[in-house]
């Protein structure tokens, strides 16, 4: 949420998390006490404790002299800076009870039976609820030519499988901290490997996106380099020409910088079923349901869909 | 004390990294038409923090994430970010950006890719434009390291402009360490061009370079030119009111310094665009090429209309005893000056003494005493006699007139004098007469200057200032100036008037000049007021004119020559007429050269 509502929400949450409660002293104007440390966080070293009056309405700011918090305003900028300097790393989990297990079970059966044919019957021998670790990385992706445009990029790396996906569920559903109980499945990938997979994923995504911005930058660069070449023509100073052209390329060649700005370890519920197939040939196998991707994962060789003719 | 936030993580300031790839980024990987670099520092930090279990609360995490999104959304440039960001600061500081300044900043950023010559006429706020562009680039995360090269006497002015109007806190270069450690640095171009400094500067990659008074780089064989040419920079702004003065080659040099190749090689430029060194060929095409890198606004419709300057000369007649003393001092100066010769080492103290004696006998007394001490053990008896007579004088006719004048003024007033002794005396007299005064001079620290300025704004009616204190002082809330004495150099006079007659002044400015009859002041006044009409007209390109006439440093000497060579009033007037004509011709030459092309 980045509109005016989003700004107000951010400001109120900021003060709430700091244990301050802004008071509305006039319609649209709030007041909150800034102690010395908070004043310094917002105003730099010369900040002193004071009553801070603010508004989100430009008209009210002009009329009553309250500080304006609006897109582009200095005060919003200082609050954003204070907020963004916090919480580089966190962790959270999705509780199991957020998901309705009977529905998962029924969906699982439908899929397996659908694959194998209606002749088989499946029973759950055991259900183990555990958590799979994911690394959620929020990156700042900056496209740089003579201008710069930034975007926030979200990706999740499954630390067991290495699969990279966008976070397919609202982050509001997560609960902070480690899961209170239940097993956390061991990660298979190191963080370095996970980061490397993430980089590859982002590079693929960037390649698929519109590249006209880069085309324009190259056009400009070529034009400028041609001008330089004409300027140095006949001077014999090839070394300087090369140096200038290199500097030009360094300044204007299109490039993308990717910088992770925030990360979280996410523990996502995993429903691990031990199932038995009964019918012609009885067999026991495991299946894991991932509620993030709605996928059913069956370890290789653990289960093969029985062939109806061979089993008959 | 409890920490303010749950965990204050020493972040690597996510969005404040340099626009240039720093070592924390991986080697560039080619992806399609561009390269991608991934932060390696980010990975290291992540692993380290996970190992140290430095986990913050989830609520703060979500809030910070929300902050990131808002921040990025704000940075999506649909206009200038700086305008919103600085709106409140400007409201408090009383700064109103003019539309032409905003337009210039937008053009430089969007069309000129941060490389431009800002060539507005004097007084249209080039510094504001440059500050706005710098701030905008900083907000967009494209500039972190910037260098501002200015003449040494403007460094503090730049500092206060950037700090007060743009909330940028630059450093002012003092030692050679500053080049590397200060992100936004203001430096004297004369210091920077020295070999030991230039070597360091050339090793630094700057995101932005700003050069003030860039017309001083017109000659490609100078050290200053070589310095700027060798600086590695992404964005570059050059500020000058007179990008071309005498020779189109100067313009070529300046543009080539900014953007080599923009005007081709000098040979092709000469063939294509120069009839002779002052007359352009194909002006349309040249103008079109220039407009890609040069912005020039002129006073008048669409930019800024200045209020009027109204001059009130007030003639002061010295009492017989004062006049006698003045004549004696002048005779002494003429005798000594003729003996010493104009190029002799003694001429400078004599010029000073002649100027001081026009200001007050208090100011002259100190110099006379010094000269007397220097002549020991055989002191000049004339000097001793003058000093004794000066000490006996109990009257100051100029101050009497000043008091009378003050009784007719109700508004705030700035009184300028060149000398601190005179400043103290004026304050003493005015305080005694019941006026509240503040003194402003070059000895004051920056903080005290600001405090005095506030005192003047809120409480005092009169500010008595020496001009060394007046530089960089913006006092648009006041519209009355009294020149207690006249500086001999018109640049200094222009600087005095410029304290109040500048952007933001809403009322006509009244300038009262106290001119003592039968003294050199009368002649100076004739030259500056009657001859070149300095007071009422903003000469604008004054520094360029003086440079053009090679008078920038020798204006005072030239006047002294006239006064030493002639005793008769008429002869002096004749010489001053000629001198004034030279200045007017220079003004015309500079103006026409600039206007023809731009």
């Amino acid at each position: 949420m980045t509109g005016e509502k989003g700004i107000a929400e951010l400001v109120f949450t900021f003060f709430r998390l700091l244990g301050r409660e802004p008071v509305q002293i006039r319609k649209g104007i709030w007041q909150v006490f800034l102690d010395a440390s908070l004043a310094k966080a917002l105003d730099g070293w010369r900040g002193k404790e004071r009553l801070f009056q603010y508004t989100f309405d430009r008209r009210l700011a002009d009329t009553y002299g309250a500080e304006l918090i609006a897109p582009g305003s200095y005060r919003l900028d200082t609050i954003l800076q204070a907020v963004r300097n916090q919480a580089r790393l966190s962790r959270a989990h999705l509780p199991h009870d957020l998901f309705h297990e009977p529905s998962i079970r029924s969906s699982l059966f439908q899929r397996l039976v659908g694959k194998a044919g209606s002749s088989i019957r499946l029973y759950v021998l055991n259900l183990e609820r555990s958590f799979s670790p994911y690394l959620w990385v929020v990156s700042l992706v900056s496209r740089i030519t003579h201008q710069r445009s930034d975007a926030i990029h979200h990706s999740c790396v499954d630390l067991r499988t290495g699969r990279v996906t966008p976070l397919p569920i609202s982050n509001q559903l997560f609960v902070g901290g480690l899961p209170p109980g239940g097993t956390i499945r061991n990660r298979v990938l190191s963080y370095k490997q996970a980061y490397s997979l993430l980089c590859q994923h982002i590079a693929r995504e960037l390649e698929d996106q519109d590249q006209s911005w880069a085309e324009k930058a190259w056009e400009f660069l070529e034009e400028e380099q041609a001008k330089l070449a004409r300027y140095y023509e006949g001077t014999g100073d090839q070394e300087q020409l090369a140096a200038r052209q290199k500097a030009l390329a360094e300044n204007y060649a299109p490039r993308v910088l990717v910088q992770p700005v925030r990360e979280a370890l996410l523990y996502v519920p995993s429903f691990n079923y031990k199932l038995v197939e009964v019918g012609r040939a009885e067999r026991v196998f495991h299946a894991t349901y991932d509620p993030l991707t709605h996928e059913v994962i069956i370890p290789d060789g653990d289960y093969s869909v029985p062939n109806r003719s061979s089993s008959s | 004390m409890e920490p303010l936030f749950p965990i204050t993580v020493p972040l690597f300031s996510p969005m404040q990294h340099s626009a240039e790839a720093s070592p924390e980024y991986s080697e560039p990987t080619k992806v399609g038409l561009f390269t991608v670099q991934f932060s390696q520092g980010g990975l290291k930090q992540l692993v380290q923090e996970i190992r140290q279990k430095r986990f913050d609360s989830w609520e703060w995490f979500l809030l910070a994430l929300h902050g990131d999104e808002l921040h990025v959304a704000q940075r999506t440039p649909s206009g200038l970010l700086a305008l919103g960001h600085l709106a409140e600061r400007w409201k408090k500081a009383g700064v109103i950006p003019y539309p032409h300044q905003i337009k210039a900043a937008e053009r430089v950023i969007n069309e000129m890719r941060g490389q431009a010559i800002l060539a507005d006429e004097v007084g249209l706020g080039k510094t504001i434009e440059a500050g706005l562009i710098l701030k905008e680039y900083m907000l967009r995360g494209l500039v972190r390291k910037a260098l501002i090269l200015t003449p040494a006497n403007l460094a503090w002015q730049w500092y206060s402009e950037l700090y007060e109007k743009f909330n940028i806190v630059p450093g002012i270069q003092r030692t050679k360490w500053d080049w590397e450690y200060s992100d936004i640095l203001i430096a004297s171009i004369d210091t920077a061009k020295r070999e030991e400094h230039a070597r360091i500067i050339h090793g630094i990659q700057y995101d932005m370079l700003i050069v003030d008074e860039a017309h001083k780089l017109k000659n490609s064989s100078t050290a200053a030119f070589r310095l700027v040419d060798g600086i590695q920079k992404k964005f570059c702004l050059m500020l000058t009111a007179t990008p071309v003065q005498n020779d189109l080659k100067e313009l070529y040099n300046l543009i080539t310094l900014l953007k080599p190749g923009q005007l081709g090689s000098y040979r092709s430029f000469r063939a294509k665009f120069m009839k002779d060194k002052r007359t352009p060929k194909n002006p349309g095409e040249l103008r079109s090429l220039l407009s890609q890198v040069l912005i020039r606004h002129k006073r008048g419709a669409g930019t800024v209309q200045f209020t009027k300057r109204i001059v009130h000369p007030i003639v002061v007649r010295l009492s017989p005893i004062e006049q006698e003393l003045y004549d004696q001092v002048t005779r002494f100066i003429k005798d000594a000056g003729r003996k010493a010769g104009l190029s002799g080492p003694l001429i400078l103290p004599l010029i000073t003494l002649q100027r001081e004696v026009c200001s007050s006998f208090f100011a002259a007394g100190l110099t006379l005493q010094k000269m007397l001490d220097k002549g020991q053990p055989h002191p000049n008896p004339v000097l001793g006699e003058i000093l004794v007579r000066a000490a006996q004088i109990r009257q100051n006719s100029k101050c009497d007139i000043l008091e009378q004048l003050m009784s007719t003024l109700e508004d705030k007033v700035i009184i300028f004098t060149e000398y601190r002794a005179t400043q103290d005396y004026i304050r003493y007299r005015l305080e005694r007469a019941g006026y509240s005064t503040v003194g402003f001079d070059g000895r004051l620290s920056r903080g005290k200057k600001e405090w005095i300025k506030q005192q003047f704004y809120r409480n005092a009616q009169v500010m008595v200032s020496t001009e060394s204190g007046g530089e960089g002082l913006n006092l648009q809330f006041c519209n009355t100036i009294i020149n207690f004495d006249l500086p001999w150099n018109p640049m200094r006079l222009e600087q005095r008037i410029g304290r109040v007659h500048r952007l933001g002044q809403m009322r006509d400015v009244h300038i009262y000049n106290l001119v003592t009859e039968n003294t050199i002041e009368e002649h100076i006044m004739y030259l500056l007021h009657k001859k070149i009409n300095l007071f009422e007209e903003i000469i604008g390109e004054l520094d360029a004119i003086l440079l053009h006439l090679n008078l920038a440093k020798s204006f005072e000497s030239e006047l002294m020559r006239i006064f030493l060579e002639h005793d008769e009033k008429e002869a002096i007037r004749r010489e001053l007429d000629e001198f004034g004509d030279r200045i007017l011709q220079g003004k015309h030459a500079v103006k026409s050269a600039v206007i023809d092309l731009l």
Side-chain angles (χ1 to χ4, degrees):
Chain A
M1 211 184 334
T2 53
E4 272 173 35
K5 240 181 171 178
I7 291 171
E9 192 189 303
L10 176 121
V11 173
F12 286 116
T13 314
F14 174 65
F15 286 123
R16 181 174 57 77
L17 291 179
L18 288 170
R20 269 84 167 172
E21 201 173 322
V23 179
Q24 187 164 200
I25 54 167
R26 189 183 287 271
K27 195 168 182 232
I29 297 179
W30 281 268
Q31 178 175 286
V32 67
F33 178 71
L34 303 185
D35 61 21
S37 55
L38 181 53
K40 280 190 170 57
L42 292 181
D43 288 334
W45 59 271
R46 56 169 74 95
K48 289 197 179 105
E49 63 175 32
R50 67 186 171 106
L51 273 176
F52 168 56
Q53 290 181 359
Y54 64 92
T55 178
F56 303 103
D57 185 330
R58 198 169 292 273
R59 199 176 36 86
L60 290 176
D62 287 341
T63 314
Y64 297 105
E67 288 194 46
L68 178 69
I69 301 182
S73 74
Y74 172 75
R75 185 49 68 202
L76 175 62
D77 207 56
T78 59
I79 292 176
L80 284 180
Q81 221 166 341
V83 163
R84 291 176 51 244
N85 277 339
Q86 304 305 312
R88 168 93 165 81
L89 177 70
S90 187
R91 58 186 170 191
H93 66 277
L94 272 180
H96 279 94
D97 53 20
L98 211 64
F99 304 95
H100 186 236
E101 199 278 325
S103 305
I104 293 173
R105 192 178 289 213
S106 125
S107 155
L108 180 74
F109 284 179
Q110 270 174 19
R111 287 197 215 180
L112 291 173
V113 172
K115 273 186 182 175
S118 56
S119 58
I120 61 159
R121 279 174 291 152
L122 289 170
Y123 296 95
V124 174
L125 287 177
N126 189 20
L127 166 61
E128 186 203 31
R129 293 164 203 255
S130 61
F131 291 91
S132 295
Y134 278 75
L135 176 67
W136 179 24
V137 180
V138 181
S139 307
L140 177 74
V141 179
S142 311
R143 289 197 307 210
I144 297 176
T145 54
H146 70 289
Q147 298 278 27
R148 171 184 178 135
S149 74
D150 292 333
I152 295 280
H153 185 277
H154 301 262
S155 325
C156 261
V157 189
D158 185 338
L159 292 173
R160 285 181 59 80
T161 64
R163 206 163 32 148
V164 185
T165 53
L167 186 67
I169 196 162
S170 164
N171 55 37
Q172 302 294 329
L173 295 172
F174 284 86
V175 177
L178 281 172
T183 335
I184 297 174
R185 302 172 80 193
N186 288 337
R187 64 186 162 89
V188 175
L189 300 174
S190 70
Y191 294 115
K192 200 174 169 185
Q193 285 168 324
Y195 186 70
S196 163
L197 287 170
L198 178 86
C199 292
Q200 288 168 21
H201 176 81
I202 294 177
R204 271 195 306 275
E205 270 188 12
L206 287 171
E207 197 167 11
D208 293 341
Q209 284 172 5
D210 174 34
Q211 296 196 10
S212 56
W213 65 278
E215 262 170 52
K216 275 184 202 154
W218 280 116
E219 272 168 30
F220 170 76
L221 186 58
E222 278 160 20
E223 235 171 71
E224 292 300 305
Q225 286 193 324
K227 270 185 202 170
L228 263 185
R230 277 199 300 277
Y231 175 67
Y232 280 100
E233 210 171 54
T235 61
D237 202 346
Q238 291 308 305
E239 205 177 303
Q240 200 173 10
L241 169 64
R244 294 247 188 224
Q245 285 189 326
K246 190 171 164 239
L248 207 57
E250 275 167 9
N251 286 337
Y252 294 111
R255 64 205 167 102
V256 175
L257 297 183
V258 181
Q259 184 172 29
V261 290
R262 236 162 279 288
E263 296 93 10
L265 287 177
L266 300 180
Y267 300 99
V268 174
S270 183
F271 293 85
N272 309 307
Y273 292 94
K274 189 177 179 186
L275 299 160
V276 60
E277 179 202 320
V278 293
R280 287 147 209 133
E282 192 173 293
R283 56 172 62 206
V284 174
F285 65 96
H286 292 88
T288 301
Y289 174 74
D290 179 350
L292 271 195
T293 54
H294 296 295
E295 281 188 15
V296 176
I297 302 154
I298 299 167
D300 279 348
D302 206 8
Y303 179 77
S304 55
V305 178
N307 187 319
R308 196 180 294 182
S309 56
S310 65
S311 61
S312 57
Chain B
M1 200 173 91
E2 260 186 49
L4 176 64
F5 298 113
I7 295 178
T8 306
V9 181
L11 281 184
F12 59 99
S13 305
M15 316 254 178
Q16 291 167 7
H17 59 258
S18 160
E20 295 308 309
S22 63
E24 70 175 300
Y25 282 96
S26 65
E27 284 298 307
T29 314
K30 186 114 178 70
V31 173
L33 291 173
F34 50 88
T35 56
V36 184
Q37 288 173 279
F38 294 93
S39 164
Q40 296 303 305
L43 168 68
K44 272 187 214 148
Q45 182 142 3
L46 165 71
V47 174
Q48 201 177 10
E49 284 175 6
I50 292 177
R51 279 193 191 137
Q52 292 170 354
K53 296 194 168 27
R54 303 193 61 167
F55 294 102
D56 279 293
S57 91
W58 183 245
E59 278 181 306
W60 272 104
F61 183 87
L62 292 182
L63 183 69
L65 189 62
H66 190 177
D68 289 338
E69 280 160 2
L70 275 174
H71 179 76
V72 167
Q74 287 207 98
R75 272 166 65 144
T76 308
S78 55
L80 295 182
L81 302 177
L83 297 180
H85 186 89
L86 295 168
E88 290 207 30
R89 193 172 191 89
W90 284 352
K91 204 163 75 186
K92 277 182 198 156
V95 179
I96 304 160
Y98 285 86
H100 74 271
Q101 294 171 328
I102 296 171
K103 233 165 71 186
E106 283 174 343
R107 237 188 107 197
V108 170
I109 290 166
N110 298 330
E111 294 169 29
M112 297 175 161
R113 294 163 196 258
Q115 288 186 316
I117 294 175
L118 302 176
D120 291 354
E121 280 185 344
V122 171
L124 292 186
K126 290 185 285 293
T127 319
I128 301 271
E129 288 170 6
L132 192 56
I133 295 164
L134 174 63
K135 183 72 183 181
E136 182 67 22
Y137 274 131
M138 288 173 78
L139 288 174
R140 292 187 185 189
L142 283 162
V143 168
R144 189 183 59 89
K145 196 156 181 70
L147 176 64
I148 298 152
L149 295 175
T150 79
N153 61 333
L154 295 181
W156 275 107
Q157 195 171 328
W158 267 92
Y159 177 90
S160 57
E161 289 272 316
L162 289 181
Y163 176 64
E164 283 165 20
K165 294 179 180 158
F166 299 100
N167 199 20
I168 297 171
V169 189
I172 293 187
Q173 189 271 335
R174 297 253 179 263
T175 68
K176 60 179 182 178
W177 309 110
D178 295 332
W179 301 115
E180 301 236 13
Y181 292 109
S182 202
D183 277 344
I184 310 290
L185 186 68
I186 300 169
S188 145
I189 192 159
D190 289 324
T191 307
K193 73 185 180 191
R194 277 161 40 196
E195 184 54 35
E196 70 266 31
H197 293 294
R199 216 177 314 121
I200 303 171
I201 297 168
H202 287 161
I204 298 171
Q205 173 72 47
Y206 288 99
D207 297 322
M208 178 170 250
L209 172 70
I210 298 175
V211 187
D212 196 7
E213 306 290 351
H215 51 265
K216 291 179 179 162
L217 301 173
K218 63 188 179 182
N219 186 343
S220 60
S221 60
T222 58
F225 186 96
R226 283 196 300 276
L227 167 81
V228 174
D229 193 35
I231 294 177
Q232 304 172 57
K233 66 256 179 198
K234 180 165 184 179
F235 304 117
C236 182
L237 300 176
M238 293 191 178
L239 281 59
T240 171
T242 50
V244 55
Q245 291 169 25
N246 290 321
D247 191 343
L248 282 165
K249 190 177 179 187
E250 295 166 4
L251 180 69
Y252 172 83
N253 285 341
L254 209 57
I255 303 274
T256 302
L257 186 59
L258 179 82
K259 221 172 163 188
Q262 175 68 16
L263 299 176
S265 65
Y266 182 58
R267 189 183 293 180
S268 67
F269 174 76
R270 209 173 42 193
K272 202 168 175 188
F273 296 116
M274 283 173 71
K275 259 188 206 156
D276 57 51
K277 73 175 195 171
R278 299 195 57 164
T279 324
K281 210 159 50 174
N282 299 324
E285 195 181 338
L286 180 56
R287 214 170 276 140
S288 145
L289 279 175
L290 290 178
S291 71
Q292 292 171 14
V293 286
L294 190 143
I295 294 178
R296 182 168 174 84
H297 293 110
K298 294 171 191 168
R299 265 182 236 110
T303 55
V304 177
Q305 302 275 20
F306 279 86
T307 56
K308 273 194 219 148
R309 294 176 173 192
I310 301 163
V311 187
H312 309 270
I314 295 173
V315 178
V316 179
R317 183 164 295 161
L318 294 176
S319 66
I321 187 165
E322 286 175 303
Q323 186 70 52
E324 207 177 309
L325 183 59
Y326 173 84
D327 292 341
Q328 196 179 1
V329 174
T330 305
R331 262 197 313 277
F332 166 77
I333 292 168
K334 284 200 173 189
D335 290 344
R338 281 166 187 166
K339 264 187 224 159
L342 261 177
S343 51
L346 204 64
I347 198 69
L348 269 178
L350 289 175
I351 294 178
T352 308
L353 185 60
Q354 183 69 71
R355 284 163 50 200
E356 283 170 342
V357 78
C358 294
S359 175
S360 73
F361 292 117
F362 301 98
L366 291 171
T367 306
L368 284 168
Q369 184 65 54
K370 268 189 211 160
M371 290 170 100
L372 198 67
D373 293 345
K374 234 181 175 177
Q376 298 294 357
H378 306 292
N380 187 331
V382 183
L383 277 178
E385 192 190 326
I386 293 173
L387 256 177
V388 172
R389 290 186 72 169
Q392 286 167 350
I393 288 184
R394 291 282 174 271
Q395 189 190 3
N396 189 306
S397 305
K398 233 183 192 179
C399 255
D400 296 342
I401 297 284
L402 176 69
E403 277 184 25
Q404 284 174 28
L405 172 63
M406 283 300 300
S407 65
T408 63
L409 302 172
E410 285 174 1
D411 221 338
K412 289 187 187 292
V413 175
I414 306 171
I415 302 173
F416 278 110
T417 172
E418 291 216 83
Y419 303 100
R420 286 214 291 266
T422 311
Q423 179 195 28
D424 291 342
Y425 181 67
I426 295 170
R427 285 195 66 197
Y428 160 73
R429 288 286 300 262
L430 291 181
E431 290 277 349
R432 203 179 61 175
Y435 297 99
S436 54
T437 72
V438 287
F440 196 96
D441 61 63
R443 291 172 300 181
L444 299 171
S445 66
R446 207 158 35 85
K448 270 195 180 160
K449 279 184 179 171
E450 191 52 39
W451 184 76
I452 297 266
K453 187 176 151 184
Q454 288 303 320
Q455 284 295 312
F456 180 44
Y457 180 63
R458 288 173 210 281
N459 305 321
Q461 191 197 342
V462 184
M463 175 186 269
V464 186
S465 173
T466 63
E467 52 243 41
S468 58
E471 277 173 16
L473 193 63
N474 301 337
L475 302 165
Q476 292 97 324
F477 55 86
C478 170
N479 72 328
T480 307
I481 287 178
I482 298 176
N483 287 312
F484 189 82
D485 44 43
L486 286 176
W488 286 18
N489 190 329
M491 277 303 290
R492 295 169 78 105
L493 196 55
E494 182 60 36
Q495 274 164 9
R496 282 183 181 184
I497 300 169
R499 300 302 113 223
V500 297
H501 194 242
R502 57 197 304 134
L503 289 184
Q505 177 59 265
M506 311 301 281
R507 298 174 291 173
D508 290 342
V509 170
H510 294 268
I511 304 161
Y512 294 89
N513 297 312
L514 301 186
V515 186
T516 321
E517 205 178 31
N518 295 323
T519 66
I520 282 186
E521 261 185 358
E522 221 181 356
H523 299 301
I524 305 279
M525 184 65 185
Y526 170 76
L527 176 72
L528 300 180
H529 182 37
K530 289 269 189 291
K531 196 70 201 170
I532 62 177
N533 197 16
L534 175 75
F535 294 99
E536 287 176 9
E537 195 185 322
I538 306 166
I539 286 204
E541 292 85 13
L542 191 58
D543 55 342
I545 296 166
L546 298 183
L547 215 65
H548 172 77
L549 296 171
N550 220 3
L551 283 173
K553 284 181 185 159
S554 61
F555 202 94
E556 284 102 331
S557 305
E558 187 64 19
L559 286 179
M560 195 63 185
R561 182 191 63 76
I562 296 172
F563 298 136
L564 283 183
E565 283 178 3
H566 305 278
D567 290 325
E568 298 300 313
K569 221 172 173 177
E570 284 69 30
I572 293 177
R573 189 60 59 94
R574 225 178 13 254
E575 284 269 345
L576 286 177
D577 275 336
E578 276 177 32
F579 189 39
D581 287 340
R582 269 173 67 199
I583 296 172
L584 290 176
Q585 279 165 10
K587 176 183 167 186
H588 183 70
V590 167
K591 245 184 161 174
S592 63
V594 174
I595 287 166
D596 274 351
L597 197 61
L598 306 170

